[in-house]
Amino acid sequence: MTDRFDCRVAFAEALVALAEADPRVVAVCNDSVGSSNLKEFKKRFPERLVNVGIAEQNMVGVAAGLANGGLMPFVCGASCFITGRALEQVKVDLGYSRSNVKLCGISSGMAYGELGPTHHSIEDIAWTRAIANMTVIVPSDPAETAGALRAAAALDGPVFLRLSRMPVPAVNAADYEFQIGRAVRLRQGSDVTLIANGTMVCRALEAAELLLADGVHASVINLPTVRPLDREAIAAAAAAGPIVTIEEHTVFGGMGGAVAEAVVTFNPTRMRILGVPGVFAPTGSTEFLFEHFGLTAANIRVVTLELLQECGRV
Amino acid sequence: MTELPAANIAALQLRARTIRRTALGMVHAARLGHPGGDLSAADILATLYFHVMRLDPANPRWPERDRFILSKGHCSASLYATLAEAGYFGREKLSEYMGPLSLLNGHPDRNKLPGVEANTGPLGHGLPIGVGVAKAAKITGGGWRTFVLVGDGELQEGSNWEAAMAGSQFGLDNLTVIVDRNRLQQGAGTEETMHLDPLADRWRAFGWSTREIDGHDLGVLAQTLGGIPFETGRPNCVIANTHKGRGVSFMEDRVEWHHRVPTDAELAAALVELGGGEER
């Protein structure tokens, strides 16, 4: 079986490396040293870890203030709280103010499984991508997580990094270096394009493999940056045929919605948007919920075949 | 603490009068604004910008500058009048207040206007940002001081108290919150809406070194704000007892002047009452 990795490890290592190279880097957390994997950072840079306690509105405001003071804060906490609980601060103190703050949403999507919808963060892409000046990144594997952190640090402005604790395999090429706003074609096919990000990229690749047995050649695009969107890559995919998007997020306003906005503008084609269908999840583990909502290679295959049938392509 | 010489107080009085006259004129011209709060904050602004803070208006992003954050962002007219008076931009800009494509938005935008430190407007944002700015000085060894002006009604927002805990936890004696305690908010008095008293006790309970003063006595303001930190290792709180609409008899302590716009006659009467400012 393919090795799987908790991307928080790559996140923590990359953050320490950034802090070593750049004295402006500080971490801001909400009693989340453990869950955000900041123990090593705390050991190495105790004076550069700002723990505000359980107070997310204050946390985001404090980060904006630290940036005003010349520092580059990485705000680390559970994605549901640092976005939803502090959304006005994210809008005003980060987006509108163009503060040089990196918001790192840990355990996004349904990573908290059994803890339920209060702790799920399946709205965070929709919320953050609606805010002007925000860059929204959903890395898919350890290398991309590290690359996204480096790229976020190199950008002068607010960034939302949507991270996960779900173990994922390495899906990108060994020599791949993440670039903000660039989609990555992982597989070339002529019948349909599967577009995924985050934890769903590996599932899209598996689905493409399954579809081969059906005689369907699927392209797979990894779309880590939801804002700004790689419109060129999406326009090209739309020109080639139907599109299926897969994301660990509500189907309202997420990556699939962003792709659809571009598709109808540049090259209308039929789409299916796979994600959480506008409901709060029932109780269950993350894997159970992925099955429940059809976020599996098997269901991506089924949905893709249905779509191709509709289009008269099979 | 030494008392301020009478000549210096007179100079501050002139600044405060000018801020009041200018802000009222701006609100009148824009047909929009929050004159009551502009007038209650004018003496505090004059003291900070013309006596207390270390600033370089020609170099507004000077890293070592003292920072002022207007958390009650709706009182932008008095802030803009102060910034123009301090030389951050030309006074002629003030006539653009809230006009189409103006840099002088109804609530301040730091990316548009030099001298603005934070984008405020929604209440309860300034103090958390101030905690971050002050903490940054502690982390980097920076010598700047941070001043946050909050409205009293604004303290009903819980984020202020999250920040109050943090300011104390981090020992930010380089941070000062000034409460514009005019006892009125948009709809009614603060105490009948959601009471804040005993306000000084509340700040003390959160670990802030707290003083309660007359927020219109420029000598006292100058002495108090010039005397920070009150205690090493503790953040500073100044509860400035003020009057909404201060300086204009028919506006003072009247809730409707939160965002009422003066008529031509009212403006003329107000300017007569305010007296000898510099005409802008």
Side-chain angles (χ1 to χ4, degrees):
Chain A
M1 192 174 159
T2 325
D3 285 340
R4 287 177 179 260
F5 308 92
D6 177 347
C7 290
R8 286 180 301 174
V9 176
F11 159 74
E13 287 171 1
L15 188 58
V16 167
L18 284 170
E20 268 171 0
D22 187 341
R24 295 176 305 157
V25 171
V26 293
V28 185
C29 71
N30 53 340
D31 190 23
S32 51
V33 172
S35 55
S36 298
N37 208 14
L38 292 170
K39 288 197 180 100
E40 182 65 18
F41 188 98
K42 186 181 177 182
K43 206 167 97 191
R44 299 282 299 279
F45 310 102
E47 75 291 351
R48 286 156 68 182
L49 178 77
V50 181
N51 188 346
V52 300
I54 306 162
E56 289 76 22
Q57 297 180 57
N58 185 46
M59 174 166 63
V60 173
V62 165
L66 290 164
N68 175 303
L71 297 172
M72 190 200 293
F74 283 71
V75 177
C76 310
S79 201
C80 56
F81 303 133
I82 68 171
T83 57
R85 186 59 172 263
L87 194 59
E88 189 182 82
Q89 281 76 10
V90 174
K91 169 190 160 190
V92 177
D93 303 354
L94 306 190
Y96 181 41
S97 303
R98 285 209 304 270
S99 294
N100 193 19
V101 171
K102 319 307 167 187
L103 206 56
C104 306
I106 314 289
S107 303
S108 62
M110 295 179 289
Y112 278 127
E114 298 88 336
L115 299 190
T118 55
H119 284 57
H120 295 168
S121 196
I122 57 165
E123 305 89 358
D124 50 10
I125 296 173
W127 287 338
T128 54
R129 87 174 181 90
I131 296 172
N133 298 332
M134 290 294 293
T135 295
V136 179
I137 304 172
V138 188
S140 58
D141 69 4
E144 192 166 63
T145 299
L149 247 79
R150 288 192 293 270
L155 180 85
D156 183 10
V159 178
F160 174 48
L161 291 153
R162 189 191 197 239
L163 308 172
S164 183
R165 62 160 72 194
M166 292 305 295
V168 286
V171 292
N172 293 289
D175 61 347
Y176 165 64
E177 182 61 24
F178 167 82
Q179 280 178 38
I180 289 171
R182 208 191 78 187
V184 191
R185 187 174 291 269
L186 296 177
R187 186 176 174 123
Q188 180 66 48
S190 49
D191 298 318
V192 62
T193 303
L194 310 181
I195 302 180
N197 61 17
T199 53
M200 291 296 127
V201 175
C202 59
R203 287 158 194 261
L205 286 167
E206 280 172 48
E209 200 62 39
L210 294 179
L211 283 163
L212 268 188
D214 303 298
V216 171
H217 297 266
S219 284
V220 176
I221 288 178
N222 169 20
L223 189 63
T225 314
V226 183
R227 180 181 182 139
L229 203 62
D230 188 340
R231 295 176 139 210
E232 234 169 73
I234 290 163
I243 290 173
V244 178
T245 62
I246 312 104
E247 63 193 309
E248 188 186 346
H249 187 273
T250 172
V251 297
F252 290 82
M255 179 271 284
V259 170
E261 288 162 14
V263 164
V264 297
T265 306
F266 295 112
N267 219 327
T269 186
R270 276 189 180 267
M271 285 182 64
R272 281 286 184 282
I273 297 176
L274 284 183
V276 179
V279 297
F280 290 112
T283 307
S285 69
T286 308
E287 279 300 337
F288 170 84
L289 294 172
F290 285 174
E291 289 276 344
H292 179 79
F293 290 123
L295 298 172
T296 60
N299 189 56
I300 297 167
R301 169 184 164 268
V302 169
V303 167
T304 304
L305 289 174
E306 283 170 5
L307 175 63
L308 288 170
Q309 241 160 14
E310 247 176 53
C311 302
R313 290 210 174 207
V314 284
Chain B
M1 271 183 294
T2 51
E3 267 184 45
L4 210 58
N8 297 34
I9 291 176
L12 285 180
Q13 279 167 343
L14 178 60
R15 297 285 195 183
R17 266 203 303 275
T18 304
I19 292 166
R20 286 192 167 92
R21 295 174 69 89
T22 307
L24 276 186
M26 290 165 68
V27 171
H28 175 258
R31 313 305 305 157
L32 282 169
H34 295 83
D38 285 325
L39 296 182
S40 74
D43 297 306
I44 297 162
L45 287 165
T47 307
L48 285 171
Y49 276 85
F50 303 104
H51 180 67
V52 176
M53 293 205 296
R54 292 186 287 257
L55 300 164
D56 182 3
N59 184 10
R61 296 267 163 129
W62 173 43
E64 282 293 310
R65 70 193 182 277
D66 285 342
R67 267 76 163 177
F68 172 75
I69 296 166
L70 180 74
S71 193
K72 41 177 279 182
H74 53 284
C75 296
S76 55
S78 54
L79 176 66
Y80 299 156
T82 305
L83 292 175
E85 189 70 8
Y88 283 91
F89 46 83
R91 293 187 179 95
E92 71 284 352
K93 273 246 166 287
L94 297 173
S95 63
E96 298 170 13
Y97 186 46
M98 290 203 243
L101 304 180
S102 168
L103 306 184
L104 282 71
N105 189 61
H107 297 93
D109 181 345
R110 73 184 193 126
N111 293 309
K112 287 184 177 160
L113 208 59
V116 174
E117 293 288 352
N119 294 18
T120 51
L123 299 172
H125 282 240
L127 194 54
I129 296 171
V131 167
V133 175
K135 178 70 175 164
K138 293 288 186 190
I139 290 173
T140 61
W144 65 83
R145 300 166 303 164
T146 304
F147 299 88
V148 181
L149 180 60
V150 298
D152 51 358
E154 167 174 18
L155 294 176
Q156 290 156 4
E157 291 281 6
S159 51
N160 289 301
W161 301 102
E162 294 182 3
M165 283 190 275
S168 158
Q169 179 80 18
F170 301 155
L172 300 178
D173 53 11
N174 56 352
L175 172 65
T176 303
V177 65
I178 304 158
V179 183
D180 186 353
R181 184 70 170 120
N182 59 36
R183 305 190 85 87
L184 287 176
Q185 54 195 95
Q186 177 173 286
T190 56
E191 301 313 282
E192 63 183 287
T193 305
M194 188 54 63
H195 76 273
L196 300 167
D197 280 335
L199 190 55
D201 289 346
R202 289 184 179 191
W203 283 99
R204 289 189 185 111
F206 275 77
W208 291 57
S209 196
T210 302
R211 301 218 179 145
E212 209 167 350
I213 63 167
D214 178 346
H216 297 305
D217 185 325
L218 289 156
V220 170
L221 275 167
Q223 263 199 331
T224 307
L225 293 170
I228 58 159
F230 303 145
E231 291 176 70
T232 303
R234 279 179 188 269
N236 314 286
C237 172
V238 175
I239 296 174
N241 289 314
T242 56
H243 295 275
K244 214 159 179 170
R246 171 73 172 198
V248 180
S249 59
F250 55 89
M251 294 183 182
E252 269 189 36
D253 299 324
R254 302 283 295 263
V255 71
E256 64 268 29
W257 285 100
H258 177 78
H259 50 33
R260 206 187 129 182
V261 176
T263 62
D264 293 353
E266 284 167 339
L267 177 68
L271 292 179
V272 168
E273 280 197 32
L274 286 169
E278 286 178 49
E279 288 307 328
R280 306 286 183 221

